[in-house]
Amino acid sequence: MNDIEKFQFKLELILNLKSAKDIQDWATNRIEQNMTDSEALEICFFSKEKQVLDYFYNIKFEWLNLPPTLKKIFFREALRKYIEPPPTIEYSEELIRSIFGMLLELSKIAEDEDLYDLIDHYDDELCLILDGIYNSAPEEVWPSFLNDLRNRLSIKSLSI
């Protein structure tokens, strides 16, 4: 398993795009192709999903040696997958604040200033609404953010 795969798996786990079982299945398939991949073999021997999660959550993004361009590519691809399906849950103010916080952190890790600025803008807008400074409804922020993010990802996908 290389640093690119570790980065991608950790990112997808954080965004709930992959499960521990998905990664265990990947590791099993990898071992069938390459018996020398010691990290994939280690993942195959984890008996509990929590062990897989712990393994990836304990990997620090800064330990992974990836060029900024690759980080941006994988971050943007993960975001596309994250916003692709229509939301099936109702987003509360607390959940939206939490998601904005997580996305801000991930955009810093991916060194994606453009997306960081977009996320920060909507996070600030939500804060201003909640503080009564900006006259709008909090539930309007999330759909507007998703729309702008979709547009940004489709426009910027060619120029990273």
Side-chain angles (χ1 to χ4, degrees):
M1 178 181 324
N2 59 39
D3 283 355
I4 293 171
E5 291 164 329
K6 290 176 190 176
F7 183 85
Q8 186 175 8
F9 284 147
K10 181 167 179 155
L11 190 58
E12 290 176 342
L13 281 170
I14 290 170
L15 293 172
N16 293 317
L17 297 171
K18 282 214 186 307
S19 67
K21 171 102 173 71
D22 293 333
I23 294 174
Q24 285 178 308
D25 291 344
W26 170 88
T28 301
N29 290 334
R30 178 51 118 3
I31 292 303
E32 290 173 1
Q33 298 169 5
N34 179 6
M35 289 291 291
T36 62
D37 190 330
S38 60
E39 290 173 315
L41 187 59
E42 184 178 356
I43 291 169
C44 285
F45 284 112
F46 290 148
S47 61
K48 298 178 182 157
E49 289 186 5
K50 183 178 179 338
Q51 292 173 299
V52 176
L53 296 175
D54 288 345
Y55 176 84
F56 282 96
Y57 288 144
N58 287 325
I59 294 173
K60 304 286 186 217
F61 279 114
E62 52 272 7
W63 295 347
L64 303 175
N65 187 20
L66 275 90
T69 303
L70 278 180
K71 290 178 189 178
K72 286 181 189 178
I73 289 169
F74 284 108
F75 177 58
R76 288 175 181 222
E77 184 57 34
L79 279 180
R80 277 188 202 93
K81 290 178 188 174
Y82 184 73
I83 64 173
E84 186 175 277
T88 57
I89 62 170
E90 188 160 326
Y91 289 89
S92 67
E93 294 168 8
E94 296 82 24
L95 179 59
I96 294 170
R97 297 281 317 267
S98 175
I99 293 171
F100 281 150
M102 173 190 61
L103 292 177
L104 284 168
E105 178 75 22
L106 291 174
S107 62
K108 276 190 221 175
I109 290 165
E111 300 178 43
D112 195 326
E113 292 178 30
D114 187 42
L115 288 182
Y116 180 90
D117 290 343
L118 177 71
I119 298 161
D120 191 46
H121 166 79
Y122 279 98
D123 184 47
D124 288 347
E125 184 177 321
L126 181 62
C127 290
L128 292 172
I129 291 169
L130 295 175
D131 290 343
I133 297 169
Y134 188 67
N135 191 17
S136 186
E139 54 274 358
E140 293 174 7
V141 173
W142 187 249
S144 295
F145 166 70
L146 289 178
N147 187 48
D148 280 355
L149 182 59
R150 281 184 188 99
N151 289 336
R152 185 77 50 100
L153 290 174
S154 66
I155 293 169
K156 296 287 184 177
S157 63
L158 299 175
S159 61
I160 292 186

